[in-house]
Amino acid sequence: MSGLLAGKRILVTGVVTDASIAFHVARLAQEEGAEVVLTGFGRLSLIERIAAGLPKPVPVVELDVTDQTHLDTLAERIGAAADGWDRIDGVVHSIAYGPRGAFSFLDGDWADVSTAVQVSAYSLKSLTTACLPLMEDRGGSVVGLTFDATVAWPRYDWMGVAKAALESTSRYLARDLGVRGIRCNLVAAGPLRSMAAKSIPGFGELAEVWQQRAPIGWDLVDPDPAARGVVALLSDFFPRTTGEIVHVDGGVHMMGA
């Protein structure tokens, strides 16, 4: 077997449609030699139908990152679903959610904000620690997806704050898990016309920024570049890179006025 991820076992969360970055991460991971398990929340039968579009069959394990029982039993359930897996080499965190109220900064209440932070940021820690029993004896790579939180974006509001929390969480995980040989990095992807994008009021304003400012261009319907960034960080080609944020956004992050 050959490929960038040959022989690795990768857990991928957040597959919602075949247009999602997570789906294309799973596809590329398989093409690069990895075995893959997906997690799903809600309608597992729908996710299983989407997963059927991958190059090879994959098991789907139910995971609600706000349910501690799901987290406490995750390692065991992965082993049961995936022919006795006793290790994971990589974890992909592609989970984010903000209630409608989280997209109004001045009016957003704590109930909505706390949900956005728990699901979109704290879940990176809870997912990673849930997978530790399958990783800590051999190390590995955790890769999450973010949306550049160094600036304030139009209409993104408390979800932008949640992404800032996600980015900080990744750094603290990198600090605490490095001694166990586990790297934690993020890919800051540009906007895509995905299921998640439909929940963002004023998404068109964000998309317009990329059309005008990406020096190398940006395709709003092509998740492949971001997926390639994730797969690269899952591989052994970055053995001493941790706590990093790799921008796959057409270069918008570095453009001035």
Side-chain angles (χ1 to χ4, degrees), residues 11-12 18 26 29 33 36 47 51 71 75-76 97 101 103 108 117 122 141-142 154 170 195 210 220 223-224 228:
L11 179 71
V12 179
D18 59 6
V36 173
I47 297 166
L71 293 163
E76 178 184 343
Y97 170 72
F103 294 95
V117 171
Y122 182 79
S141 176
V142 177
S170 178
M195 185 72 73
W210 259 259
L220 290 164
D224 195 66
R228 287 178 179 273

Side-chain angles (χ1 to χ4, degrees), residues 148 150-151 153 188 210 213-215 245-256:
D148 187 3
T150 60
V151 296
W153 294 106
W210 259 259
R213 294 168 63 85
I245 301 174
V246 176
H247 291 82
V248 183
D249 67 348
V252 169
H253 72 281
M254 59 84 181
M255 293 295 288

Side-chain angles (χ1 to χ4, degrees), residues 15-250:
V15 171
V16 179
T17 72
D18 59 6
S20 63
I21 295 173
F23 177 87
H24 288 270
V25 169
R27 173 183 61 80
L28 282 167
Q30 287 188 331
E31 291 173 357
E32 292 296 331
E35 297 177 75
V36 173
V37 169
L38 305 182
T39 73
F41 171 66
R43 295 173 60 190
L44 290 190
S45 60
L46 175 60
I47 297 166
E48 288 167 349
R49 287 200 298 272
I50 294 165
L54 291 170
K56 299 177 183 178
V58 298
V60 179
V61 176
E62 186 177 16
L63 177 63
D64 175 355
V65 291
T66 68
D67 186 324
Q68 193 59 46
T69 301
H70 280 203
L71 293 163
D72 291 342
T73 61
L74 180 60
E76 178 184 343
R77 291 186 294 115
I78 289 171
D83 296 325
W85 275 21
D86 58 358
R87 63 175 172 84
I88 288 177
D89 302 289
V91 175
V92 178
H93 179 278
S94 183
I95 301 169
Y97 170 72
R100 200 72 173 175
F103 294 95
S104 177
F105 190 77
L106 294 181
D107 295 328
D109 61 28
W110 176 239
D112 288 339
V113 172
S114 61
T115 296
V117 171
Q118 180 181 13
V119 177
S120 307
Y122 182 79
S123 64
L124 178 63
K125 193 282 296 188
S126 56
L127 172 65
T128 301
T129 53
C131 291
L132 278 182
L134 299 175
M135 297 182 75
E136 58 185 351
D137 292 334
R138 57 182 292 113
S141 176
V142 177
V143 184
L145 287 156
T146 188
F147 188 71
D148 187 3
T150 60
V151 296
W153 294 106
R155 307 291 293 277
Y156 206 44
D157 298 334
W158 285 105
M159 280 303 294
V161 176
K163 290 298 186 182
L166 173 70
E167 294 175 8
S168 184
T169 300
S170 178
R171 288 188 287 269
Y172 279 96
L173 280 171
R175 181 198 69 181
D176 287 355
L177 297 181
V179 69
R180 307 187 193 194
I182 298 172
R183 297 172 283 125
C184 190
N185 296 287
L186 300 177
V187 168
L192 294 165
R193 295 194 190 281
S194 63
M195 185 72 73
K198 293 179 180 179
S199 68
I200 302 174
F203 175 81
E205 295 176 52
L206 287 175
E208 188 175 333
V209 170
W210 259 259
Q211 298 299 331
Q212 296 173 351
R213 294 168 63 85
I216 201 168
W218 183 253
D219 188 341
L220 290 164
V221 295
D222 184 9
D224 195 66
R228 287 178 179 273
V230 173
V231 168
L233 287 168
L234 288 169
S235 79
D236 294 332
F237 270 75
F238 292 87
R240 292 294 178 264
T241 298
T242 194
E244 185 59 85
I245 301 174
V246 176
H247 291 82
V248 183
D249 67 348

